[in-house]
Every structure is written in structure tokens, then in C-alpha cells.
Amino acid sequence: MGLSQNETLAGIKDKVVVITGASSGIGEATALLLAERGAKVVLGARRHDRLAALAARIAEVGGEVVYASTDVRRREDVTKLIHLACERFGTIDVLVSNAGVMPVSPLDDLRVEDWEDMIDVNMKGVLYGIAGALPVFRKMGSGHFIHIASTAGHKTVPNQSVYSATKFGVRAISEGLRQEAGDQVRVTIISPGMVRTNFAEGVTNLEVRARLEEIRDKFALPPESIARAIAYAIEQPADVDVNEIVIRPTAQA
């Protein structure tokens, strides 16, 4: 008995997956896991040296990988990354918009540049990804957006109001896109709780940074846990759209 089209489209092997924020944390873990499962990965991030090292690790074990320095605050950078995928591998099947920053602080600190950076990276970076990939997906008749939001996009707490606003925004954009996408393009939101990454490095308020690092060291999930959730969404049959996965540490602060 032969496989149906939806069954043959399921899985990860040979899918072309573009990942932003790929040089560390969730992006790095996702690139390694998907490459191990046979995906062709296209990596973008600002830190060229880390991208090159990650690509070398993947290539050394036989994975197919290309990369480009990418600042998601620049629409042209995101467009070039998607074009790179199409030039090298002929198409793009999945865009994982993972790049994000979290320089949280009390609003009284008036760290306006940090607010602007969160809006530019966390929200506009996602929109630039949609602008670059949606025409390709429409032309191909299939595609999958995966947007990394946060549990902060479900509930805010003191010091995180701007960061939460950007993640609420990512969820709203993603849900609107899902409703507009029709039956050929899938949209998945991944909303992690605390993850063991270097996010605290960007927190400019030292008191808030110390508190976040303490919570992270006690409770945070490894980034590989989020990578597995991303893989789960990708490997579903084409007629199954995993709309949102909320993933938290079992131990809560």
C-alpha cells in the first residue's frame, strides 16, 4: 500500500530549513538537531565566527549547511538569507524566526534604546521573515513558518512589559497569518518558558540581570528541549498544523 502525499511530505529529512538567531542557544540546538535528522539548514545570525564554527560542526558529520551573517533588523539581510536558501537548495520549506533579544528593565529606567531594539529584533525581524518567505511559499504551494515567542507573550510581570509586548505581538501576527494562510502554509508558535541561554548578557539593568541569572540557573530548560518541540511541529503530515506549543520547566519559580 503506497504512502499518501501528506505522509510523504511528513518528516524532516531533505527539508530546507532557514533559522535566524542560529549562532547560539535555541537556534544552535535546532540547527544541530534538524541537520542530524537530515534537513538542509540555512543559518543566519550576527556573529559570523560562531556561525562558521557551527556550520563546520554540521558539515564534519555529513550535514548540508550554508550560512550568512544576518541582522534581522535589516530587511535586506533577511531577504538575502532566504535567497541564499533558494539559490543553494532550490527552495525553502521552513522558516524558523528565532532571533530575539531581552534587555528587560523597569520602565522607570527609560532605556528607550533597549525598547527599540526589542521591537526591531523580536517583532520586525519576524515580519521581515514573513515578507521574504511568504512569496516563496505561495509560489511553491507549501511552507511552514515557526515563530519563537515566549510564555511572556501570555502573561507579563514587572520589568518585562516591553519584552512581553513584543512576544504578544509575535503571537498576534502569527495567528493572523495562520488565518490568512489557507490550506498550504502552516504557522506554528513556540512559546518557551525560561531557557538556559545567554539571554541575560543583554540585560543592562544589573539588578534585574542578577535575578534572571539566578532563576535561569535553578529552573531553566536546556535549549535542546525547544529544538525537539520545533522538530515535532515540522515532522507532522502536511495536513496537520501545530498552532502553538507552550513549553515550561517542570520546576517553576
Side-chain angles (χ1 to χ4, degrees), residues 58-171:
I58 292 169
E60 283 170 6
V61 293
E64 294 191 68
V65 57
V66 292
Y67 64 94
S69 295
T70 305
D71 184 344
V72 300
R73 297 173 298 182
R74 297 166 51 89
R75 180 180 176 186
E76 58 268 33
D77 278 18
V78 180
T79 301
K80 285 178 182 178
L81 186 67
I82 291 166
H83 286 171
L84 175 63
C86 294
E87 289 167 5
R88 189 62 60 92
F89 298 123
T91 190
I92 167 178
D93 296 299
V94 184
L95 172 61
V96 181
S97 290
N98 165 70
V101 294
M102 190 184 171
V104 296
S105 61
L107 290 170
D108 275 314
D109 282 4
L110 300 180
R111 297 178 189 266
V112 177
E113 290 184 0
D114 287 348
W115 302 348
E116 291 173 339
D117 208 28
M118 284 185 277
I119 291 167
D120 288 344
V121 175
N122 299 354
M123 287 186 66
K124 291 170 72 174
V126 167
L127 288 167
Y128 292 157
I130 293 169
L134 189 55
V136 180
F137 290 166
R138 293 300 192 199
K139 182 178 180 181
M140 298 300 297
S142 64
H144 193 173
F145 290 100
I146 298 180
H147 296 155
I148 308 304
S150 170
T151 54
H154 291 258
K155 176 185 177 181
T156 195
V157 295
N159 305 322
Q160 292 189 19
S161 56
V162 178
Y163 177 73
S164 288
T166 65
K167 294 304 186 177
F168 271 92
V170 168
R171 294 184 63 241

Side-chain angles (χ1 to χ4, degrees), residues 19-36:
I19 305 169
T20 67
S23 63
S24 63
I26 293 170
E28 179 183 28
T30 301
L32 290 168
L33 178 62
L34 296 182
E36 180 184 317

Side-chain angles (χ1 to χ4, degrees), residues 205-217:
N205 181 296
L206 297 182
E207 182 182 344
V208 173
R209 181 194 298 182
R211 194 177 313 130
L212 284 173
E213 288 176 338
E214 181 182 0
I215 295 170
R216 179 195 62 192
D217 294 345

Side-chain angles (χ1 to χ4, degrees), residues 1-4 7:
M1 185 175 179
L3 294 174
S4 70
E7 288 171 322

